Amino acid sequence: MHNIKDIRKDYSTFAKSLEKRSIKVNFNNLQKLDEQNRNLIQKKEALEKEKKDISKSKDESLFKRSKEISIDLEKISENQKK
């Protein structure tokens, strides 16, 4: 298995090495999906931090926001699976 971090560094070299093996991969799509996944990870981490901060504050008025964050986190996880 290949490390995505190594692939990110130089897509063109990786693509050429796969061509030698007669393997066809749509690298534009791979790059696009990788960027989308990284954006989702960043959003997820930001929401998790916000939820953690809300939990620490123990402010019951923010309980509704905490529930919304949980729903948003589930949606992000589903998008990542797709």
Side-chain angles (χ1 to χ4, degrees):
M1 181 160 311
H2 300 284
N3 186 344
I4 191 69
K5 290 180 183 178
D6 294 334
I7 296 170
R8 270 186 214 131
K9 290 178 185 175
D10 194 3
Y11 277 101
S12 60
T13 302
F14 188 73
K16 289 176 186 176
S17 68
L18 288 182
E19 285 177 7
K20 292 177 186 175
R21 297 182 190 174
S22 300
I23 299 173
K24 295 183 181 182
V25 176
N26 182 343
F27 280 95
N28 291 332
N29 191 38
L30 177 65
Q31 200 169 11
K32 179 182 159 191
L33 290 172
D34 182 45
E35 288 174 14
Q36 288 175 349
N37 188 49
R38 289 190 301 179
N39 287 335
L40 289 172
I41 289 170
Q42 289 174 348
K43 288 178 186 177
K44 189 175 179 180
E45 288 174 350
L47 287 172
E48 287 171 344
K49 182 184 180 318
E50 183 180 352
K51 186 174 179 177
K52 186 176 179 180
D53 292 342
I54 289 171
S55 295
K56 285 182 180 180
S57 72
K58 298 180 182 178
D59 185 355
E60 291 188 23
S61 65
L62 297 174
F63 182 72
K64 183 178 178 183
R65 176 64 185 142
S66 180
K67 287 288 188 184
E68 291 171 356
I69 290 172
S70 295
I71 293 169
D72 290 343
L73 288 171
E74 287 178 29
K75 289 177 184 177
I76 289 172
S77 293
E78 287 299 316
N79 284 337
Q80 280 183 299
K81 289 177 185 176
K82 290 179 185 179

